[in-house]
Amino acid sequence: MLVSSVFKSSRWFAFVNESWRIATLWFMGVLLFMSFRVFFLVYFHNRITAPLDVDTILNTLKTGFAFDSAASGVCFSIPFLLNCILQPLRLWHWVRAVRVLTAKLFFVVAILLCITSITYIAEYGSQFNYFMFEGLHDDQQAIALTAIKQYQPWGSVLSLLVLLVVAFKLCQLIDRQPYGFLERIFTDCKWKRTFLIVLIIVLFVCAIRGSFESRPASRKWSAVTLDPFVNNLVINPFRSFVYAIKDYNELQSHGLDGENPYLKSNTTIAPDGLVELKQHSSEPLLAAPSQIFFIVMESYDSWPLQQKYASLNLTNELKNLASKGIYLDNVLPAASSTMNSLSSILSGIPYAGVNMSLIGPQQPASKLSLFNQLEQLGYTSQFFYGGLLSWQNVGQYVLSQGADKVYSATDAGGKGSAGVWGIDDAQLFDLVAAKTQPKSFNVIMSGSYHGPFNLDLNQYDYPFKTAADYPAEIQELETQVLDPYVLGHLWYSDKMLGAFVRNMQQRYPDALFIITGDHYSRRYLHPRPNLYELTHVPLIIYGNGVNSNMVNSQQIASHMDIAPTLLNLIAPASTEFYSVGQSLLTTPAERTVFGFQTVRNNKQLWRGDLNALYEYYAVNSLDKIQLMPTQTQSFKVIDAATEHAYNQYMAQAWHLLTQGTNNF
């Protein structure tokens, strides 16, 4: 009885007891993150392209443990510090209250992020990144309905509830457990107490650092394998969410008066930089067409057009156009999202990580604006979008860039069968046909190849009902293949595109068509696409007088090259215009092009945060022919000159957007 009362009255024992409970909660957090990491590796094993031996797996888990320890340790540092401060004051009840509240909040957030990460990885092929916050400017209702209809996350919701119940029960058990063994190490010896206190504090510091070594757990040390997907899983969902916030704030929070984040490593902005962007057209290769149709296809990437997928016949309409005009498949999109790529194409300003559709209307129209530069040639500019103009502020944005008229789903009577995002591509192209003006430049943003993928494809005679209908060579792939119903939406978009081009060419025989994808689709036939397939979009220029000899089909390019190429095709000689890109009619064969967090030259491709973690790909023409890669790619660090050129390019883009081209 006396011993028990001594324990209850001892501030030292209360400190040790509370520290043990906090340590147990820390271990629960580490176990939670590690369990989900193992689950991700098993569940998404088809996405792993490099061979993994036991040592590689152990190294992955070891490095992951460092991030798990740091994430859990930082969160439980609050009750631990209060334990150090308030226990000597006999305010143990406050320490307990904070510990219980912290534990509940931690497990709610951690479990929610881990569960949500399953869907995020399935859609985007990685854990949380800055891109997730672009949804703050998107149609959030449409996003939610798409996620529900496409992924039907009822199993995830049930798993979330079950894990929360288990976590809360364990928290209660930890709170009530007497931990009798602690009584057996109770001591009055001051030096022993001092030793234990020092040991507890050292372990606490190591826990929040995630390491006993000199360097703490950090993103730049997470690439411990040859497989970029596995490297991405090293960092747990909690920590990746924190990094996503940090990256987003670094790019966004500076605002119009902020500091250019790319001005580093001797990167500078010339005060007369706009002069460097001034160009003059050469002799036009085409007579000025009566109509120009610039079609940006939703999620229309390069992989379906490759020879190795020809038997699927998914993009026959585009292939037909490509065979009669200029066709490039080595083209980097400006960004990995629709609005940011579209904004770059229309404004002429490369995407540098800032939401352009919000900042653009606050500035005068860009001098690089494609709308304004075509209007100088006498064209009426029009923009057509199959959704609502409130999406990503797209209506205000295109008007701010000089569009004369803007049309949306509302002008076609509302929503189509897709429902969530707007009208179907057939309705959209019918709207364009009805609203085409004499001598007009028409930008069209399609939308049918986008989740939740609920078109009725039977009415269009789509040939693939199940995976068993795929061609024999596709069925022989020893891996999971994409649901043919999803691919059917790509097939449908291509079919509607072809019908529209034929219709407009009959009405306007001299019409010029430019067709590209907004970004890569994030959906591939099999779960092991190479980095080329993960990054590129096609570019087709088709019309009367256009032939394939005008541009080498292997020429590498970017979205920013479209405007100067178009102007050099049709503008009178010596027409002045501004562009960051280069005309593909005259550009050298050897060059380096950039997209946001993407760099490509004739032989190499890098993607990712070039300062910390990125992927590398050595360009291999056989990859466009062979269904599956025959060997693992070796990794190569980006050279200093190329990285400097990328930072220079992005610094200029940032300045053009935030300071305005009139203040350059």
Side-chain angles (χ1 to χ4, degrees), residues 394-468:
V394 66
Q396 289 298 317
Y397 181 76
V398 295
L399 288 172
S400 74
Q401 295 306 307
D404 294 320
K405 297 181 180 180
V406 179
Y407 299 95
S408 69
T410 304
D411 297 286
K415 296 183 178 180
S417 61
V420 172
W421 291 98
I423 57 177
D424 305 330
D425 282 358
Q427 296 168 281
L428 173 63
F429 287 129
D430 285 345
L431 175 64
V432 178
K435 298 295 183 180
T436 300
Q437 301 292 320
K439 196 174 184 181
S440 60
F441 170 60
N442 305 279
V443 176
I444 307 162
M445 181 68 236
S446 81
S448 285
Y449 189 36
H450 192 294
F453 305 113
N454 55 359
L455 283 169
D456 178 11
L457 297 176
N458 291 325
Q459 62 179 310
Y460 301 106
D461 298 323
Y462 176 58
F464 304 133
K465 308 301 181 185
T466 68

Side-chain angles (χ1 to χ4, degrees), residues 133-150:
F133 294 104
E134 291 292 334
L136 298 174
H137 313 298
D138 217 322
D139 187 334
Q140 297 176 22
Q141 180 182 3
I143 292 176
L145 290 174
T146 298
I148 292 172
K149 291 184 178 182
Q150 183 173 335

Side-chain angles (χ1 to χ4, degrees), residues 19-209:
S19 295
W20 183 261
R21 297 180 195 276
I22 294 170
T24 306
L25 291 169
W26 164 85
F27 178 74
M28 278 182 57
V30 171
L31 185 61
L32 171 70
F33 291 135
M34 186 62 72
S35 298
F36 267 94
R37 180 175 295 104
V38 173
F39 171 78
F40 292 153
L41 288 171
V42 174
Y43 187 76
F44 295 108
H45 70 278
N46 283 336
R47 295 176 181 262
I48 301 174
T49 57
L52 301 180
D53 54 24
V54 174
D55 289 340
T56 302
I57 294 174
L58 291 178
N59 196 21
T60 299
L61 298 180
K62 173 189 172 184
T63 310
F65 172 82
F67 285 95
D68 301 343
S69 173
S72 187
V74 167
C75 291
F76 288 109
S77 64
I78 300 173
F80 179 80
L81 293 174
L82 288 179
N83 188 34
C84 296
I85 297 170
L86 299 183
Q87 287 292 1
L89 304 177
R90 299 188 184 279
L91 298 175
W92 63 269
H93 55 286
W94 285 106
V95 178
R96 175 185 176 274
V98 171
R99 186 242 306 156
V100 170
L101 178 61
T102 301
K104 290 183 177 179
L105 288 175
F106 170 77
F107 286 110
V108 167
V109 173
I111 293 174
L112 179 61
L113 289 175
C114 287
I115 293 292
T116 306
S117 190
I118 299 174
T119 301
Y120 197 85
I121 294 172
E123 176 69 14
Y124 298 106
S126 72
Q127 292 199 77
F128 303 121
N129 50 31
Y130 80 95
F131 178 69
M132 65 183 296
F133 294 104
E134 291 292 334
L136 298 174
H137 313 298
D138 217 322
D139 187 334
Q140 297 176 22
Q141 180 182 3
I143 292 176
L145 290 174
T146 298
I148 292 172
K149 291 184 178 182
Q150 183 173 335
Y151 290 101
Q152 299 181 356
W154 314 123
S156 296
V157 173
L158 179 61
S159 300
L160 173 66
L161 295 176
V162 170
L163 287 175
L164 286 176
V165 170
V166 172
F168 281 22
K169 289 292 185 182
L170 289 175
C171 287
Q172 290 179 355
L173 181 63
I174 292 170
D175 185 49
R176 296 170 182 173
Q177 189 72 16
Y179 297 123
F181 73 93
L182 293 177
E183 297 178 3
R184 292 193 291 272
I185 66 172
F186 181 82
T187 177
D188 288 323
C189 179
K190 292 185 178 179
W191 74 265
K192 289 182 179 179
R193 289 187 176 184
T194 302
F195 172 77
L196 283 174
I197 290 174
V198 172
L199 178 63
I200 290 172
I201 292 176
V202 169
L203 291 176
F204 162 72
V205 172
C206 291
I208 62 174
R209 295 179 74 252

Side-chain angles (χ1 to χ4, degrees), residues 457-604:
L457 297 176
N458 291 325
Q459 62 179 310
Y460 301 106
D461 298 323
Y462 176 58
F464 304 133
K465 308 301 181 185
T466 68
D469 297 325
Y470 281 147
E473 62 268 28
I474 303 300
Q475 295 185 45
E476 290 173 1
L477 290 175
E478 297 179 356
T479 184
Q480 181 182 358
V481 291
L482 185 62
D483 185 342
Y485 178 65
V486 173
L487 276 184
H489 289 70
L490 172 62
W491 176 89
Y492 164 82
S493 293
D494 180 77
K495 187 179 181 70
M496 296 304 105
L497 170 67
F500 171 74
V501 172
R502 284 191 294 272
N503 180 24
M504 291 297 98
Q505 197 166 36
Q506 287 179 354
R507 287 173 55 180
Y508 309 103
D510 66 338
L512 182 66
F513 301 87
I514 303 104
I515 306 166
T516 189
D518 57 350
H519 56 78
Y520 45 91
S521 69
R522 296 185 285 270
R523 290 170 184 84
Y524 307 91
L525 181 64
H526 57 79
R528 297 183 181 179
N530 56 57
L531 189 56
Y532 167 84
E533 294 174 326
L534 289 167
T535 50
H536 287 65
V537 296
L539 171 61
I540 289 88
I541 303 177
Y542 168 77
N544 186 33
V546 179
N547 64 76
S548 59
N549 296 327
M550 290 179 172
V551 180
N552 188 323
S553 62
Q554 298 306 308
Q555 178 68 57
I556 65 171
S558 81
H559 271 162
M560 308 317 298
D561 298 324
I562 297 175
T565 302
L566 172 60
L567 290 168
N568 270 286
L569 274 174
I570 66 172
S574 302
T575 297
E576 181 181 288
F577 65 92
Y578 295 89
S579 178
V580 171
Q582 301 178 33
S583 170
L584 297 173
L585 302 171
T586 57
T587 192
E590 297 286 335
R591 64 185 301 222
T592 300
V593 296
F594 308 103
F596 181 64
Q597 295 188 340
T598 316
V599 179
R600 165 79 200 269
N601 60 34
N602 291 67
K603 297 180 179 179
Q604 298 165 322

